[in-house]
Amino acid sequence: AQKVTQAQTEISVVEKEDVTLDCVYETRDTTYYLFWYKQPPSGELVFLIRRNSFDEQNEISGRYSWNFQKSTSSFNFTITASQVVDSAVYFCALSFTGANSKLTFGKGITLSVRP
Amino acid sequence: SQTIHQWPATLVQPVGSPLSLECTVEGTSNPNLYWYRQAAGRGLQLLFYSVGIGQISSEVPQNLSASRPQDRQFILSSKKLLLSDSGFYLCAWSAAPVIMGYTFGSGTRLTVV
């Protein structure tokens, strides 16, 4: 069975602070894919990143960075110098390559960035 | 490029009234289609998914049903809405297998009064 745990439910930071959103996953598959989505107040989920299980390189995209560690089954997301526009719900998700694969989502983390 | 359309954006319906939410996808063939519900301040609950025309899998028993009359059309329905059906409904599509993730529609905010 697949499982994604986002233990943090709500995080509040002041603008320009760095913040890390944690994601821990469980799977028995050796090939799997990890994702992060952002849900701003408008509601639509926006894709942020996809990472496959064979690529443990960390990734940086502007103020966003992702730390994938298979040894701890974690795929954490860090926002550097947070901005008010980063306020959203962030979901981590997991899929595998089977015929009936679906995304397994975590429960989401509500991030509030205060000016 | 692929796009997904979902409507209406907001809906206020009385208890006991019917519901029909529609979702269509453009630019791809034989997509997997999904309906999710999100209660206020909560996570995503998968309601239905479909891997082909007429093929619907229900994840949670409830007052809702889904249909897929055409390859790129997915409809969420109810004959009689309950107050507990209020929430934010999201449609999504993916290729199969799901290695590229989902693309979501813009959502429908349903309030049952």
Side-chain angles (χ1 to χ4, degrees):
Chain A
Q2 314 234 327
K3 185 177 180 182
V4 175
T5 302
Q6 296 182 263
Q8 305 151 310
T9 54
E10 295 185 17
I11 300 175
S12 182
V13 299
V14 176
E15 208 169 18
K16 297 184 183 177
E17 283 186 23
D18 299 347
V19 58
T20 295
L21 310 181
D22 298 333
C23 174
V24 174
Y25 62 92
E26 296 176 30
T27 181
R28 293 181 180 176
D29 296 281
T30 55
T31 302
Y32 53 89
Y33 299 84
L34 294 161
F35 304 83
W36 275 94
Y37 287 84
K38 174 183 180 180
Q39 185 180 35
S42 61
E44 182 175 350
L45 269 82
V46 178
F47 167 86
L48 294 178
I49 191 171
R50 165 185 178 269
R51 173 68 72 220
N52 74 57
S53 54
F54 298 108
D55 182 2
E56 288 194 71
Q57 267 195 323
N58 292 330
E59 180 154 343
I60 298 174
S61 176
R63 296 183 296 106
Y64 294 173
S65 63
W66 291 268
N67 184 350
F68 176 31
Q69 291 195 338
K70 289 179 76 171
S71 60
T72 56
S73 297
S74 65
F75 187 42
N76 297 337
F77 173 28
T78 297
I79 301 174
T80 303
S82 60
Q83 300 177 1
V84 172
V85 293
D86 296 326
S87 296
V89 181
Y90 291 87
F91 291 94
C92 181
L94 168 70
S95 75
F96 60 99
T97 58
N100 295 317
S101 63
K102 297 188 293 293
L103 280 185
T104 299
F105 285 92
K107 294 187 176 180
I109 302 170
T110 300
L111 174 64
S112 298
V113 182
R114 309 186 307 277
Chain B
S1 63
Q2 302 91 358
T3 56
I4 180 167
H5 303 280
Q6 185 180 344
W7 67 93
T10 60
L11 195 57
V12 179
Q13 292 283 100
V15 169
S17 64
L19 173 73
S20 180
L21 301 181
E22 188 163 343
C23 174
T24 60
V25 180
E26 296 178 357
T28 187
S29 297
N30 197 31
N32 285 359
L33 296 170
Y34 311 85
W35 278 111
Y36 281 84
R37 178 170 60 198
Q38 187 177 30
R42 306 292 296 273
L44 300 167
Q45 179 186 36
L46 178 62
L47 300 176
F48 302 95
Y49 71 95
S50 171
V51 298
I53 296 174
Q55 301 178 61
I56 308 294
S57 295
S58 174
E59 291 290 298
V60 182
Q62 61 218 317
N63 184 41
L64 302 169
S65 62
S67 62
R68 185 170 177 173
Q70 300 180 43
D71 181 44
R72 289 170 289 180
Q73 184 185 30
F74 204 23
I75 298 171
L76 183 69
S77 304
S78 173
K79 292 182 179 178
K80 289 185 178 181
L81 283 169
L82 305 172
L83 287 174
S84 58
D85 291 323
S86 293
F88 188 59
Y89 289 82
L90 284 157
C91 179
W93 81 270
S94 74
V98 184
I99 63 174
M100 298 302 292
Y102 293 174
T103 299
F104 285 87
S106 53
T108 296
R109 202 164 300 278
L110 172 66
T111 304
V112 182
V113 297

